[in-house]
């Protein structure tokens, strides 16, 4: 089954979800754009799997291609790689009527998107996400960024893609741990306000799961493109998740950390009468199905301390996303002084 989601932001674009999208990306892109030069950006893990196939499909449809492949890993999402990419684009040279294709996971999408936002003051880019996490989260919504030594995603821009092609066949080659990491974000949408996700998890319907997550993200991004309000609901589990990720020195996957963060805030909500206990049980059952952790050995004091460094903190206030079951999740502003007691309740 193929799905199309239209996203109406400052730029309107479509997200196509179907098996086999990679091998027909040239034909698909020809329906949206005139033939031009396309710089395919990918990393050393994904390029050997899909780069030649994307090139062949684009060239058969009349696009010229060139490629920039960087070393896989978050450590490459930095100013040095971005500079290399900018200089490569200038050497081609890529012009304003050309475009970038981001072929890979979240790092590739964020780096390519930021290059597209800034090179020549902006060129078009197409996302072809190959990980579950990138399909359901980072490829949609236009958040692009690189990391600085001082922290993740500190330099970036909102820049919406011109098209997103999710080929769900790619998920078959994902290592189990990476698939689980993406499932934590899928489960997150179920907890935010889309309970059908839990039914689809039981049915193992991956295309429909990806579709439902993207619809949920679309709703938030359309309502709040620049992240000042409801889009923040997408951070469910992330405040304490990021804290645990940092305390574990990034040895925990992002998904595992978000899983722990979701359990902490949901248990806190249950104990304060904000969320029915069934929802916590549903969450834990879904996380366990994908071997995701539901607890941590870090103390409440350490987690609270690390959470105070969250970049979404505003002065001494921090906005937490709290699930409330059938009514969806809500944003609650708390003082950073309250964090330790919140984590103690949820841990
Ligand atoms: N990843 C959360 C957002 O795009 O807002």
């Amino acid at each position: 089954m193929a799905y199309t989601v239209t996203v109406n932001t400052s730029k309107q674009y479509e997200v196509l979800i179907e098996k086999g999208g990679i091998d027909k990306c040239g034909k698909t892109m020809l329906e949206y754009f005139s033939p031009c030069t396309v710089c395919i950006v990918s990393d050393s893990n994904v390029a050997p799997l899909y780069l030649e196939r994307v090139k062949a499909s684009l060239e058969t449809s009349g696009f010229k291609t060139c490629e920039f492949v960087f070393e896989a890993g978050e450590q490459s999402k930095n100013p040095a790689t971005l500079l290399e990419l900018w200089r490569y684009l200038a050497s081609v040279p890529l012009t304003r009527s050309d475009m970038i294709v981001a072929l890979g996971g979240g790092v590739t999408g964020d780096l390519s998107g930021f290059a597209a936002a800034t090179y020549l003051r902006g060129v078009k880019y197409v996302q072809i996400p190959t990980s579950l996490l990138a399909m359901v989260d980072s490829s949609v919504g236009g958040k692009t960024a690189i990391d600085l030594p001082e922290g993740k995603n500190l330099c970036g821009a909102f820049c919406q893609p011109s098209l997103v092609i999710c080929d769900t066949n790619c998920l078959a080659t994902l290592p189990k741990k990476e698939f689980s990491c993406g499932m934590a974000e899928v489960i997150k949408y179920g907890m935010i306000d889309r309970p059908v996700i839990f039914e689809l998890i039981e049915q193992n319907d991956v295309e429909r799961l990806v579709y439902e997550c993207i619809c949920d993200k679309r709703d938030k991004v359309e309502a709040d493109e620049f992240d000042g309000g409801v889009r923040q609901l997408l951070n469910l589990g992330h405040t304490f998740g990021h804290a645990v990720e940092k305390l574990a020195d990034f040895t925990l996957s992002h998904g595992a950390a978000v899983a722990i963060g979701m359990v902490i805030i949901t248990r806190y909500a249950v104990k304060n009468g904000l969320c029915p206990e069934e929802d916590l049980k549903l969450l834990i059952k879904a996380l366990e199905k994908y071997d995701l952790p539901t607890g941590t050995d870090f103390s409440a004091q350490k987690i609270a301390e690390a959470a105070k460094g969250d970049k979404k903190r505003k002065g001494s206030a921090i906005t937490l996303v709290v699930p409330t079951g059938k009514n969806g999740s809500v944003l609650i502003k708390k003082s950073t002084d309250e964090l330790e007691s919140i984590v103690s309740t949820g841990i």
Side-chain angles (χ1 to χ4, degrees):
M1 175 96 188
Y3 298 94
T4 300
V5 180
T6 303
V7 184
N8 275 301
T9 46
S10 47
K11 174 197 269 177
Q12 188 192 78
Y13 58 98
E14 289 186 341
V15 183
L16 313 176
I17 305 151
E18 65 176 327
K19 287 186 194 293
I22 290 237
D23 291 313
K24 57 177 202 168
C25 66
K27 192 163 167 272
T28 305
M29 280 174 58
L30 210 48
E31 290 167 21
Y32 292 84
F33 317 108
S34 306
C36 61
T37 299
V38 175
C39 177
I40 307 163
V41 179
S42 197
D43 73 22
S44 53
N45 286 342
V46 172
L49 295 172
Y50 303 116
L51 181 61
E52 286 310 317
R53 285 164 57 186
V54 168
K55 269 177 81 149
S57 178
L58 287 169
E59 286 171 8
T60 305
S61 293
F63 291 93
K64 287 201 176 91
T65 66
C66 57
E67 72 238 29
F68 178 86
V69 178
F70 62 93
E71 198 190 322
E74 183 76 30
Q75 76 284 351
S76 289
K77 209 177 100 174
N78 62 22
T81 317
L82 178 66
L83 178 62
E84 254 184 73
L85 175 51
W86 276 334
R87 294 193 64 191
Y88 176 73
L89 298 173
S91 74
V92 172
L94 210 80
T95 69
R96 277 211 173 130
S97 53
D98 298 323
M99 64 175 78
I100 292 174
V101 161
L103 173 67
V107 169
T108 302
D110 284 7
L111 174 73
S112 313
F114 193 38
T118 47
Y119 176 70
L120 298 181
R121 298 197 182 90
V123 293
K124 289 194 185 83
Y125 76 108
V126 171
Q127 292 268 17
I128 306 187
T130 56
S131 72
L132 180 58
L133 182 71
M135 285 183 199
V136 300
D137 186 18
S138 53
S139 68
V140 179
K143 278 190 182 173
T144 73
I146 53 165
D147 303 335
L148 295 183
E150 289 75 13
K152 279 174 76 167
N153 296 328
L154 288 187
C155 286
F158 286 97
C159 178
Q160 302 294 338
S162 295
L163 178 69
V164 183
I165 300 173
C166 298
D167 181 347
T168 45
N169 277 342
C170 296
L171 302 177
T173 56
L174 268 191
K176 190 170 168 273
K177 200 171 159 213
E178 236 194 277
F179 186 80
S180 292
C181 181
M183 279 311 297
E185 296 282 348
V186 170
I187 293 165
K188 178 193 81 176
Y189 288 101
M191 289 303 289
I192 293 174
D193 56 9
R194 203 160 277 247
V196 68
I197 300 260
F198 292 103
E199 285 166 39
L200 296 169
I201 284 176
E202 291 302 315
Q203 295 161 20
N204 289 319
D205 186 343
V206 178
E207 270 85 48
R208 178 82 196 281
L209 273 173
V210 171
Y211 169 73
E212 290 292 340
C213 294
I214 291 173
C215 287
D216 203 84
K217 180 146 192 187
R218 177 218 37 216
D219 294 349
K220 311 288 182 288
V221 169
E222 283 185 352
D224 175 27
E225 182 174 356
F226 299 107
D227 210 16
V230 291
R231 185 168 180 167
Q232 292 172 36
L233 291 171
L234 299 172
N235 297 330
L236 175 65
H238 282 63
T239 301
F240 300 132
H242 281 151
V244 172
E245 204 175 5
K246 205 158 100 187
L247 289 170
D249 225 356
F250 296 92
T251 53
L252 263 182
S253 76
H254 177 68
V258 168
I260 294 166
M262 285 194 287
V263 173
I264 293 175
I265 197 69
T266 307
R267 188 174 290 120
Y268 161 81
V270 170
K271 289 197 180 160
N272 282 278
L274 300 168
C275 180
E277 184 151 20
E278 290 73 50
D279 290 80
L280 177 62
K281 288 190 183 145
L282 204 60
L283 169 66
I284 290 177
K285 185 172 166 217
L287 295 175
E288 283 174 346
K289 177 167 172 153
Y290 295 98
D291 292 327
L292 287 159
T294 57
T296 174
D297 290 335
F298 292 114
S299 69
Q301 189 246 331
K302 282 211 156 118
I303 295 172
E305 208 47 52
K308 284 183 190 165
D310 193 294
K311 65 177 174 300
K312 292 186 177 80
R313 163 182 165 169
K314 291 192 180 116
S316 61
I318 196 154
T319 302
L320 297 177
V321 188
V322 181
T324 66
K326 284 199 179 60
N327 302 323
S329 296
V330 290
L331 298 172
I332 299 184
K333 220 180 225 176
K334 291 282 180 190
S335 150
T336 49
D337 294 340
E338 294 173 84
L339 288 179
E340 188 175 336
S341 108
I342 292 169
V343 181
S344 313
T345 314
I347 213 164

